Amino acid sequence: MSPAETAGGPSGTDRGTDRAARFRALHRRPSPDDPLVLAGPWDAATARVCADAGFPALATPSAGVAASLGYADGETPPEEMFVAVARIARAVDVPVSADVEDGYGLAPGELVERLLEAGAVGCNLEDSAGGVLKDPRAHADWLAEVCAAAGGELFVNARVDTFVRGVTDPDRAIERAALYVAAGADCVYPIGAPVDVLPLLRSGIQGPVNVFARPTGGPTPSELGERGATRVTFGPGLQRLATAALAEIAADLAPRGTGS
């Protein structure tokens, strides 16, 4: 028994459930044009920058973390991904949700254990692998096992990959979303959905809807909220923007050859 439990304080499970409950509460927005906006840090330093800027929670991007570790998107070994998430979560006081792709083939209980050990309060889970959509009912069954293993300690954001896999019919996304919500997912993420389709998705999906946004040059989070977004994330957008800025700075500072 932990010292907290011995002293009558909350157990680790109670604390985890409380943290997840606080994170869920952030998704109850006061008005449609005020979605929850989550920055996407890729390491401890950028996590601190985002938290200090005032973001109430963070959402790690798997592609951004992969790039920071020297891997292509989708090729990060799970051990390295969980270590990276743990460093980010340890660096800040705000909740951290982790993009762990399609779960790396881990059993639901092990996946949940690894996420909680890393300090994550939520996770993104994709419904495609190797560029191919999974069977939605089989995936919903797996999500139900993840949610059961989490016992309320993780906020599960179920990604719906239909649009990025070439299935443009919104009804297919809504059907998958309904299965995932019924399985216990806290939020669904129809990644790549066209902006003009968002109102239709919002009307057909129960519960929070995560929408992808570009850090620059696209609809603002407020505008996406008015179209149906409950929360807005940027994927690896911030990491790529920062890398491009660094490339320009590095080019200016790099030594020039003097020639022969």
Side-chain angles (χ1 to χ4, degrees), residues 23 27 35-41 55 57-62 97-99 123-124 155 157 159 187-192 209-216 219-221 224-225 229-238:
F23 186 53
H27 293 75
L36 174 62
V37 182
L38 305 180
F55 285 93
L58 307 175
T60 68
S62 61
S97 181
D99 183 345
C123 62
N124 272 18
F155 183 100
N157 187 34
R159 211 176 86 171
C187 183
V188 293
Y189 180 14
I191 186 172
V209 175
N210 189 125
V211 173
F212 171 82
R214 300 184 184 281
T216 61
T220 66
L224 292 173
T230 309
R231 84 178 199 179
V232 173
T233 54
F234 303 98
L238 294 176

Side-chain angles (χ1 to χ4, degrees), residues 242-257:
T243 299
L246 179 58
E248 292 186 10
I249 295 170
D252 288 339
L253 296 176
R256 302 287 189 264

Side-chain angles (χ1 to χ4, degrees), residues 19-236:
R19 290 171 63 243
R22 289 195 295 272
F23 186 53
R24 288 187 179 91
L26 290 174
H27 293 75
R28 296 194 285 271
R29 309 309 295 165
S31 65
D33 63 350
D34 182 29
L36 174 62
V37 182
L38 305 180
W42 53 97
D43 61 15
T46 54
R48 289 195 181 110
V49 168
C50 293
D52 289 346
F55 285 93
L58 307 175
T60 68
S62 61
V65 172
S68 75
L69 297 174
Y71 295 104
D73 185 19
E75 295 184 4
T76 308
E79 293 77 11
E80 294 195 45
M81 182 64 76
F82 287 115
V83 168
V85 170
R87 288 175 179 149
I88 290 169
R90 187 170 59 241
V92 295
D93 293 328
V94 299
V96 173
S97 181
D99 183 345
V100 286
E101 304 178 82
D102 68 343
Y104 307 116
L106 298 174
E110 182 179 358
L111 175 61
V112 168
E113 182 178 2
R114 298 290 294 276
L115 284 163
L116 294 177
E117 286 178 348
V121 73
C123 62
N124 272 18
L125 294 169
E126 303 170 6
D127 69 346
S128 64
V132 178
L133 287 166
K134 296 181 179 180
D135 176 84
R137 295 190 180 279
H139 185 64
D141 290 343
W142 180 78
L143 282 175
E145 293 183 46
V146 171
C147 294
E153 292 189 70
L154 284 175
F155 183 100
V156 176
N157 187 34
R159 211 176 86 171
V160 178
D161 287 0
T162 52
F163 292 102
V164 294
R165 302 305 176 206
V167 180
T168 58
D169 183 353
D171 286 341
R172 302 291 80 77
I174 291 172
E175 289 168 359
R176 284 176 175 260
L179 289 170
Y180 304 160
V181 170
D186 297 282
C187 183
V188 293
Y189 180 14
I191 186 172
V195 173
D196 60 358
V197 174
L198 294 180
L200 177 61
L201 296 177
R202 173 68 281 170
S203 66
I205 294 175
Q206 299 295 316
V209 175
N210 189 125
V211 173
F212 171 82
R214 300 184 184 281
T216 61
T220 66
S222 179
E223 290 168 339
L224 292 173
E226 291 173 345
R227 288 169 170 81
T230 309
R231 84 178 199 179
V232 173
T233 54
F234 303 98

